[in-house]
Amino acid sequence: MGTSILIKNLTKRFGNVVAVNQVSLTIQPGTFLTLLGPSGCGKTTLLRCIAGLEDPDAGEIYIGDKLVFSSAQGINLPAGQRNLGLVFQNYALWPHMTVFKNMTFALEIQKMPKPQMAQRVQESLAEVQMAGYDERYPREMSGGQQQRIALARMLAYRPKVFLMDEPLSNLDARLRIDMRAELKRLHHVSGATTVYVTHDQIEALTMSSDIAVMKEGVIQQMDTPDRIYRCPANLFVADFIGSPKVNLLEGRADGANSIDLGKFKLAANTRGATGHIVVAVRPEDIAVSPTAAPNAIEFKAYSVLPSGADSTIVAQREGLEVTVRVMGNSKIKMDDSIWLTFNADLLNLYDKASGNLIVSS
Amino acid sequence: MAFPTTYQPSFSLQLLAAWRRFMHWLTSAHVILALLMLALMVYLILVPLYRMIETTLTYQEKDIHYVPEAVTGEFTWFHWTRMLTDEIAQVMTYAPLQHSLVISIGATLLALLIGSALAWMAVRTDMAGRNVINTLATVPYIMPSWTIAMAWTVLFKNRTSGGSPGIYEFLIGASPPDWLAYGPVPIIISSALHYYTFFFLFVSAALMSIDSNLEEAGELMGASRWRILRKITFPLIVPALLSGFIMTFSKVMGTFGGPNVLGIPVGYYTISTMIRADMGLGNYADGFVLAIVLILFAMTTVYANQKVVGTRKSYETIGGRGFVAQRTRLRKWKTVLTAGVIVFQLIVAILPLAILAFSTFMLIDGEYTPSNFTLHYWIGESTPTISNGVPGVLRNPDVYKGAWNSIALSLWTAFFAALLGVLLGYAIAKGRGTRLSKLVEQLAFIPYVIPGIAFGAVYISMFAKSVGPIPALYGTFALLVVVSVAKHLPYSARTGVSAMLQVGRELEEAGQVAGANAWERFRRIIFPLTSPGFISGFLMTFITTMRELSLIILLVTPSTQVLASMTIRYLENDDTQMANAVIIILVTLVLIGNWLISLFRGGSLKKGLGM
Ligand SMILES: Nc1ncnc2c1ncn2[C@@H]1O[C@H](COP(=O)(O)OP(=O)(O)OP(=O)(O)O)[C@@H](O)[C@H]1O
Ligand SMILES: [Mg+2]
């Protein structure tokens, strides 16, 4: 039921700022694509270009097989003719209209008959579990309820593409987690192609079928959540994804299967790489032992931070700091000696100069 | 030979793309509106200014009297040299300019003193009756600016200008000295008492918005009260003071009423009264030279102020955040100061009206005895021996006509100003950041720096003759509406932009995504959300237009008289009582209007004052 979106070399400038820089994307029908990146990286701008609310400087956008924007041909289809729905960060519910009026606005423009319209409203309200709220005004509802109504307003006219700009960012933490499940369900049921903007990586990792990580208007990597987490294409993505953060250790590879980190050497599958490299290892991929073990390296527990389900240990050795995550409540005390084992198969190696992945785990 | 390998779209394809992009841009609603507004403002502001400058640079028909070889319509520096370097320039230009500056600076400083002192007491002390002070402070500004001047003459006039004695002379027996009766001193005082409201409102808003933590921080460090006032409070209200300064200064520069009532009898001309005199003699070009000089002065002050305060601050009032600041204890001074302030305000707000009203009951001007009491000037039939047979104002069809004209003018102006506010607001707010939007906004700002009387002068030159399809509007009621609307453009734009900006752009974009066209979005989303702002703007415009004089004095004709201009005409015919009665009617209408506003928004004049 969804439709594909194809973006070619899209560029949007604001004065000197290049908000979206030569972006090319193919979004398959029914995909849940998340645009993820730090503040100001151009996520919203890209989304608004797709929606037709922004006038890009160059490139092409197809929705389905319809060309909706082309700078070369001077085509720019108005937002209303692109058959897509948009949920704004602040919901943008019209404050002077009831929920019902908010939801029928688009249907009236499509000249839908009245009885069908009322039925559509009831259906959509039910889909977001807000049945019975049709006569409320937006200010008479809580933030979470308004959020659902914003979704329902979009669902009511059954667009082929859902666009959402940080729809959960104004909700409190609990509600945000509940809504993630709801949104994912909604996407599953409707099958609409969804482009979702967030700077919350957990949201991205949990909900998406694909993630596009952006930095300064450029897409760094577009992949499945698992690949984004496991095999970040460059140091930026590696560093941006994951909490606690990935360990980045600088060293030299000399062609043999080991990396010289200065104070000690690390066994790794370098596959012939040489020169300055950066080793990336996720905190949960390091094994910890309170006693000496073969091939383990001795560290000191600088700080131990239990958080219930798991514990984070900050370990130090001769000025080198490594973060480790272990399941459960760790028995390790601060200032204890600990032995860390780095699994050579779980290391990603990056070229120091370019920051690009050279050897993936 | 090498062939280019990269794909190059053909020239005609590129042209087609460029054309489509252009049409896409051109057909977006806010661009269409902005272009329309641009055209309108070029026509209402730039063309008249150009025509005015052109007139000063060409020979006019009358110039043949001065320059025998003058050919009407030929280029000449004659008017400029005459007004700026000839012997006559001293009388025609430099003396009036000097007077205008003296009055403007004097009145502004006095108003600053009164306004900020009252503001400080009302906001920052534990004085009693602060609400009363707040309310009374706006009253003088609501009244026409020359009300106090007229009351002043009733009180202090002497026989220098011939005619009858004032109340002062009648009571004291001695004639008040000239400096007290006419000229700069009374003009400065009467203007300051009218305009102190600006300072009062700006400074109290600024004082309220200062986070008292800033001052408390100073206090904790052991600074003395005086030091805190000087080092912390004062710098924080400087922008407000400068805003008040610039507004008052440019208003007084262009004010006509006060200098006309108090200056003319002793030949104390300001630029504004001199412009009127020139126009009366048919020396348009001379008047225009003065108008240009006036505009240059006003512009210089506004831009100097913007350089100092930062762009556009002067043009915005400072929104109070309403901190409850710590109040200075007045202790034993409390009663005395409270009483003093309120008595002062009552005198300023009420005494002028009382004096004017009193004078209308005196059959013979200057004789303040019970036997002289009469209702003739209100309800008397036409009597040939009194006022050349003009009947009392309530029986006088001219007065009804004038009142009706005043109301009609105010209604039309308010209507068009609100309409243009909507259009300008949309065009500017929607295109925010684009050059077109900035251009429209800047053009709309121009009338702000053109003093009222000069703006009126500009319109004489524009609409004296018919140009193309536009008829000669001079002498018509429509011209009064046009000039009032045009002068009001900065306020319209401001109201419009702020109303539009309050509606987040997402609200409109949500409509766009839902498929609504520009008109539907406007009708169903933007207009319902912005209309309260426009309605209060409408009411505000209504009462400001009602008491406008400087702007229209050059443009009214006997058939288009409004109450404001009638007071001046009666004064000039020496019908003092009639003039005073008319101004009381005018004040009554304005007060009714103001009362309606307060009903509508349950608030004070503050929000839209003078803006
Ligand atoms: N209307 C605009 N005018 C000028 N610059 C803009 C405009 N909109 C965005 N920008 C700039 O473009 C860049 C990208 O902005 P964008 O809003 O797309 O970022 P974002 O990734 O959505 O950030 P956030 O996570 O903070 O919402 C920023 O540098 C921003 O300052
Ligand atoms: Mg954003």
Side-chain angles (χ1 to χ4, degrees):
Chain A
M1 150 173 198
T3 177
S4 65
I5 301 173
L6 180 66
I7 298 172
K8 277 192 205 160
N9 292 327
L10 195 74
T11 298
K12 171 70 191 170
R13 291 185 201 89
F14 292 107
N16 294 330
V17 181
V18 188
V20 172
N21 194 354
Q22 295 276 342
V23 165
S24 296
L25 279 180
T26 308
I27 308 173
Q28 300 299 340
T31 305
F32 193 119
L33 173 73
T34 297
L35 301 177
L36 178 66
S39 188
C41 70
K43 308 177 294 285
T44 299
T45 308
L46 178 54
L47 192 79
R48 290 169 55 84
C49 288
I50 300 174
L53 295 173
E54 213 69 76
D55 208 355
D57 294 296
E60 287 183 349
I61 303 175
Y62 287 87
I63 295 180
D65 43 19
K66 189 147 81 178
L67 180 62
V68 296
F69 174 79
S70 162
S71 60
Q73 298 182 43
I75 290 174
N76 196 355
L77 209 63
Q81 294 172 27
R82 297 187 180 192
N83 194 14
L84 37 79
L86 176 55
V87 177
F88 293 86
Q89 184 171 0
N90 59 6
Y91 318 143
L93 294 174
W94 296 300
H96 59 298
M97 299 184 197
T98 59
V99 167
F100 186 85
K101 282 279 165 200
N102 262 284
M103 291 176 65
T104 53
F105 186 90
L107 303 179
E108 279 171 24
I109 289 166
Q110 294 170 5
K111 306 218 162 38
M112 184 183 274
K114 280 249 153 60
Q116 200 182 336
M117 210 144 74
Q119 192 194 341
R120 198 52 97 60
V121 168
Q122 297 317 326
E123 275 171 33
S124 307
L125 282 176
E127 279 173 61
V128 296
Q129 281 131 51
M130 288 290 288
Y133 280 79
D134 28 1
E135 288 314 311
R136 297 270 189 114
Y137 280 93
R139 63 172 174 280
E140 297 167 346
M141 294 182 293
S142 72
Q145 291 170 332
Q146 291 183 25
Q147 211 285 323
R148 284 164 191 265
I149 295 301
L151 276 175
R153 180 173 71 178
M154 176 179 77
L155 295 175
Y157 61 96
R158 305 264 186 271
K160 289 268 194 300
V161 175
F162 293 172
L163 305 177
M164 306 190 199
D165 190 358
E166 309 201 24
L168 305 185
S169 65
N170 284 344
L171 302 181
D172 64 47
R174 274 297 296 271
L175 210 50
R176 204 148 54 201
I177 292 170
D178 294 346
M179 280 307 290
R180 276 185 209 154
E182 303 257 348
L183 275 179
K184 196 164 182 177
R185 185 81 211 156
L186 214 59
H187 169 253
H188 177 73
V189 171
S190 68
T193 308
T194 303
V195 183
Y196 186 95
V197 166
T198 184
H199 58 241
D200 180 336
Q201 44 166 311
I202 306 292
E203 229 167 84
L205 292 169
T206 51
M207 295 167 66
S208 332
S209 43
D210 279 306
I211 297 177
V213 180
M214 289 181 74
K215 176 194 172 193
E216 289 165 10
V218 180
I219 299 217
Q220 305 292 313
Q221 183 175 9
M222 177 163 154
D223 227 323
T224 59
D226 184 56
R227 300 245 340 136
I228 293 268
Y229 189 79
R230 283 281 137 219
C231 304
N234 57 34
L235 285 172
F236 173 80
V237 179
D239 194 43
F240 189 74
I241 301 281
S243 169
K245 274 203 195 168
V246 71
N247 292 294
L248 298 174
L249 311 171
E250 287 183 26
R252 286 190 72 90
D254 47 15
N257 272 346
S258 85
I259 296 158
D260 185 358
L261 293 180
K263 310 295 178 190
F264 58 89
K265 288 195 171 187
L266 209 58
N269 308 324
T270 56
R271 295 188 204 148
T274 54
H276 278 286
I277 59 156
V278 179
V279 181
V281 52
R282 296 271 172 212
E284 65 270 25
D285 292 341
I286 302 172
V288 185
S289 159
T291 53
N295 292 331
I297 301 158
E298 185 180 356
F299 274 71
K300 197 153 93 182
Y302 177 74
S303 191
V304 180
L305 311 158
S307 73
D310 54 20
S311 307
T312 302
I313 301 167
V314 182
Q316 277 189 349
R317 176 193 165 112
E318 293 169 306
L320 194 71
E321 196 171 278
V322 173
T323 309
V324 186
R325 203 171 89 181
V326 295
M327 297 307 291
N329 221 335
S330 173
K331 300 279 180 299
I332 291 161
K333 303 268 172 317
M334 276 154 83
D335 290 335
D336 282 357
S337 277
I338 50 174
W339 281 264
L340 305 186
T341 310
F342 295 81
N343 185 341
D345 293 333
L346 296 176
L347 303 180
N348 284 324
L349 307 188
Y350 295 86
D351 179 41
K352 172 127 192 314
S354 69
N356 288 333
L357 184 66
I358 41 180
V359 176
S360 80
S361 54
Chain B
M1 243 182 102
F3 290 96
T5 49
T6 51
Y7 165 69
Q8 279 285 333
S10 72
F11 180 68
S12 62
L13 263 179
Q14 285 182 9
L15 210 63
L16 180 69
W19 170 250
R20 283 191 185 144
R21 270 197 300 271
F22 175 71
M23 286 313 287
H24 180 74
W25 174 79
L26 190 65
T27 50
S28 44
H30 68 95
V31 173
I32 296 179
L33 266 184
L35 292 174
L36 275 177
M37 289 296 108
L38 200 63
L40 184 75
M41 283 186 297
V42 167
Y43 179 67
L44 286 183
I45 300 165
L46 294 189
V47 174
L49 275 174
Y50 169 77
R51 293 281 295 260
M52 179 164 84
I53 295 169
E54 188 193 21
T55 308
T56 66
L57 290 175
T58 48
Y59 279 120
Q60 305 298 304
E61 268 166 47
K62 281 198 96 177
D63 295 339
I64 205 95
H65 301 302
Y66 309 108
V67 188
E69 70 275 15
V71 181
T72 308
E74 294 234 314
F75 174 85
T76 177
W77 287 108
F78 166 68
H79 303 111
W80 285 93
T81 50
R82 179 173 135 89
M83 296 299 283
L84 296 182
T85 57
D86 281 8
E87 265 170 58
I88 200 174
Q90 182 53 33
V91 184
M92 296 284 281
T93 310
Y94 294 112
L97 181 60
Q98 193 192 345
H99 296 162
S100 285
L101 288 173
V102 165
I103 288 168
S104 307
I105 293 171
T108 307
L109 289 180
L110 187 59
L112 183 150
L113 211 66
I114 301 172
S116 14
L118 287 185
W120 183 75
M121 286 192 268
V123 177
R124 281 326 207 23
T125 68
D126 60 345
M127 180 172 266
R130 290 189 299 265
N131 284 338
V132 180
I133 297 175
N134 269 318
T135 313
L136 283 177
T138 55
V139 176
Y141 187 70
I142 295 169
M143 294 193 284
S145 66
W146 65 106
T147 317
I148 296 177
M150 283 175 65
W152 190 282
T153 55
V154 173
L155 202 54
F156 290 114
K157 68 184 161 185
N158 61 23
R159 318 283 184 109
T160 303
S161 57
S164 49
I167 295 179
Y168 175 96
E169 184 170 346
F170 182 80
L171 292 177
I172 308 275
S175 179
D178 266 359
W179 65 262
L180 180 62
Y182 301 105
V185 173
I187 298 177
I188 287 175
I189 295 176
S190 64
S191 309
L193 292 179
H194 176 70
Y195 288 112
Y196 86 82
T197 310
F198 287 162
F199 285 101
F200 180 83
L201 292 181
F202 289 176
V203 173
S204 42
L207 283 175
M208 275 191 272
S209 69
I210 294 174
D211 189 337
S212 59
N213 290 342
L214 294 177
E215 292 173 312
E216 280 156 14
E219 215 165 329
L220 288 176
M221 290 176 218
S224 70
R225 280 257 145 186
W226 169 239
R227 209 183 151 75
I228 290 170
L229 200 63
R230 204 161 41 94
K231 292 279 184 188
I232 302 175
T233 316
F234 185 71
L236 289 172
I237 60 166
V238 162
L241 291 179
L242 281 171
S243 303
F245 193 94
I246 183 75
M247 258 180 100
T248 315
F249 183 85
S250 67
K251 290 243 180 199
V252 182
M253 273 301 268
T255 196
F256 171 78
N260 187 57
V261 173
L262 291 166
I264 302 283
V266 289
Y268 187 83
Y269 279 90
T270 62
I271 292 274
S272 54
T273 49
M274 191 49 106
I275 290 176
R276 170 112 190 283
D278 283 331
M279 297 298 178
L281 294 173
N283 294 334
Y284 292 120
D286 293 352
F288 291 160
V289 169
L290 290 182
I292 293 170
V293 169
L294 189 56
I295 291 171
L296 290 179
F297 263 89
M299 281 191 170
T300 317
T301 14
V302 170
Y303 288 112
N305 172 69
Q306 292 196 340
K307 276 272 170 298
V308 181
V309 185
T311 38
R312 319 257 344 269
K313 263 215 186 117
S314 64
Y315 172 45
E316 284 160 33
T317 42
I318 299 144
R321 279 189 290 161
F323 285 99
V324 185
Q326 202 188 356
R327 299 183 185 279
T328 305
R329 295 235 172 76
L330 294 174
R331 299 171 206 282
K332 61 183 175 187
W333 294 101
K334 190 167 161 176
T335 331
V336 181
L337 269 178
T338 306
V341 166
I342 291 182
V343 166
F344 166 78
Q345 286 190 307
L346 284 176
I347 288 178
V348 174
I350 295 172
L351 192 64
L353 289 180
I355 290 174
L356 290 174
F358 179 61
S359 81
T360 63
F361 298 121
M362 296 297 116
L363 184 60
I364 300 165
D365 192 24
E367 242 191 84
Y368 303 95
T369 55
S371 61
N372 192 29
F373 180 87
T374 181
L375 287 176
H376 175 83
Y377 295 106
W378 287 96
I379 52 171
E381 305 256 2
S382 169
T383 316
T385 51
I386 310 171
S387 304
N388 302 316
V390 180
V393 289
L394 295 181
R395 281 180 187 272
N396 186 341
D398 286 354
V399 173
Y400 285 100
K401 179 94 195 303
W404 172 241
N405 280 346
S406 282
I407 293 173
L409 176 62
S410 306
L411 282 177
W412 281 113
T413 304
F415 171 74
F416 282 115
L419 182 68
L420 284 179
V422 174
L423 302 181
L424 281 169
Y426 189 79
I428 296 171
K430 199 70 213 291
R432 197 128 256 227
T434 63
R435 260 173 299 178
L436 182 61
S437 158
K438 278 193 198 118
L439 184 64
V440 171
E441 196 169 15
Q442 279 161 0
L443 275 183
F445 181 70
I446 294 180
Y448 187 75
V449 294
I450 305 183
I453 189 118
F455 204 78
V458 171
Y459 271 65
I460 292 188
S461 69
M462 175 69 176
F463 295 100
K465 298 183 279 232
S466 66
V467 183
I470 293 115
L473 286 176
Y474 185 74
T476 64
F477 182 74
L479 180 60
L480 299 186
V481 176
V482 172
V483 75
S484 305
V485 171
K487 178 74 172 121
H488 217 84
L489 278 170
Y491 312 120
S492 298
R494 206 186 78 109
T495 319
V497 171
S498 64
M500 292 297 168
L501 289 182
Q502 270 168 14
V503 179
R505 71 170 180 176
E506 292 87 3
L507 290 180
E508 194 193 353
E509 286 171 352
Q512 224 167 318
V513 174
N517 62 27
W519 168 243
E520 283 288 314
R521 298 197 301 265
F522 180 78
R523 191 176 65 84
R524 298 196 45 191
I525 301 172
I526 296 170
F527 187 72
L529 291 173
T530 51
S531 50
F534 288 113
I535 293 173
S536 68
F538 175 94
L539 293 170
M540 207 53 232
T541 314
F542 181 82
I543 67 159
T544 20
T545 308
M546 186 84 99
R547 57 177 174 55
E548 181 59 60
L549 176 65
S550 315
L551 182 63
I552 53 170
I553 186 70
L554 297 178
L555 302 173
V556 287
T557 55
S559 66
T560 60
Q561 290 279 357
V562 292
L563 289 180
S565 60
M566 287 180 91
T567 63
I568 299 299
R569 202 188 56 173
Y570 280 131
L571 273 187
E572 285 167 354
N573 291 347
D574 260 338
D575 294 331
T576 317
Q577 293 94 326
M578 294 282 185
N580 296 352
V582 168
I583 205 162
I584 283 172
I585 295 175
L586 177 55
V587 169
T588 312
L589 287 179
V590 171
L591 287 179
I592 292 174
N594 195 54
W595 173 69
L596 286 177
I597 292 183
S598 65
L599 274 193
F600 175 75
R601 56 181 180 196
S604 59
L605 191 66
K606 268 182 200 170
K607 286 184 206 153
L609 189 117
M611 298 304 267

